[in-house]
Amino acid sequence: MYRNFDITFLSSLNDTLSENPTATQREIAANQGISLGMTNAWLGKLADKGWILMHKINRKTVRYALTPEGMHQIALNTANYMRKTFSLMKEYGSIIEKNVCILKDNGYTKIVLSGNSNIDFLLEYSCQKSDMQFEKNSLHNAYVGMDDNSKVFFLAGEDVQNAEMTSVFDFIGNKRK
């Protein structure tokens, strides 16, 4: 249960120590957004795991450093995150390609994305592969240069609420979380 928080705490500690190698426990607590007592407990826990070293300089001063094992844990977490991200990109890319092909088969010649989306690059790539036009963030120019027979499909990005447009989430079959 605490593994994710351990890694999150460790990663944030690494960022803090990168910016300020002499950070105090109070500064670490402030950066973590948790109490001083909780910070003390988590630092002790990470030291027990061998992920950090605590070196007492004097009665009031302790210095912290990540161990190679601590850095390894951050690297493992990053690799797992990347693996999951690439897997989702591949899955969403396949769904988007299929849906773009369906749109093309139904006579659409252009997809316009209004707003921002974390998967806009997948939409653009799929449109290029299917020889469809793709335009981002422009409803005003959606029909410029198109003849009367052109069909445009409008998508609403994650930051756009428009009941008349299909949301990116619906386009890939994923419900908003």
Side-chain angles (χ1 to χ4, degrees):
M1 175 180 167
Y2 291 111
R3 169 128 174 97
N4 285 342
F5 188 77
D6 288 351
I7 295 297
T8 301
F9 186 96
L10 184 66
S11 183
S12 181
L13 176 63
N14 184 46
D15 292 344
T16 299
L17 295 175
S18 293
E19 291 176 20
N20 179 8
T22 62
T24 66
Q25 200 171 101
R26 191 171 305 281
E27 292 168 328
I28 293 167
N31 286 348
Q32 295 281 355
I34 60 176
S35 71
L36 190 56
M38 182 63 76
T39 300
N40 185 33
W42 281 106
L43 288 170
K45 182 179 180 186
L46 297 181
D48 290 345
K49 287 184 171 195
W51 294 359
I52 66 168
L53 292 174
M54 297 190 303
H55 179 71
K56 194 168 190 166
I57 303 295
N58 59 41
R59 206 170 70 86
K60 290 185 174 186
T61 307
V62 178
R63 295 288 177 251
Y64 306 94
L66 271 68
T67 64
E69 180 58 25
M71 294 302 288
H72 178 72
Q73 292 300 320
I74 291 173
L76 283 176
N77 189 62
T78 302
N80 287 336
Y81 176 81
M82 295 302 293
R83 212 175 350 272
K84 288 177 189 175
T85 299
F86 290 139
S87 175
L88 281 174
M89 276 182 19
K90 186 176 179 183
E91 179 184 341
Y92 289 162
S94 295
I95 292 167
I96 289 169
E97 276 187 46
K98 182 183 101 194
N99 288 340
V100 166
C101 286
I102 290 169
L103 289 174
K104 183 169 177 137
D105 291 345
N106 285 308
Y108 287 92
T109 56
K110 186 176 190 176
I111 293 177
V112 174
L113 174 65
S114 175
N116 296 308
S117 174
N118 291 324
I119 59 170
D120 58 353
F121 67 99
L122 293 173
L123 286 163
E124 185 172 14
Y125 177 72
S126 293
C127 285
Q128 285 175 350
K129 275 183 76 171
S130 296
D131 199 30
M132 284 184 68
Q133 294 178 13
F134 176 76
E135 191 170 321
K136 191 165 107 174
N137 292 327
S138 177
L139 293 179
H140 309 307
N141 300 324
Y143 292 98
V144 172
M146 303 194 75
D147 60 40
D148 292 337
N149 297 326
S150 298
K151 285 174 73 176
V152 178
F153 188 80
F154 293 96
L155 278 174
E158 289 100 351
D159 60 340
V160 173
Q161 299 292 322
N162 187 329
E164 296 176 12
M165 286 188 226
T166 302
S167 77
V168 169
F169 295 104
D170 292 337
F171 191 70
I172 61 172
N174 189 9
K175 299 299 175 206
R176 292 179 195 241
K177 296 190 175 152

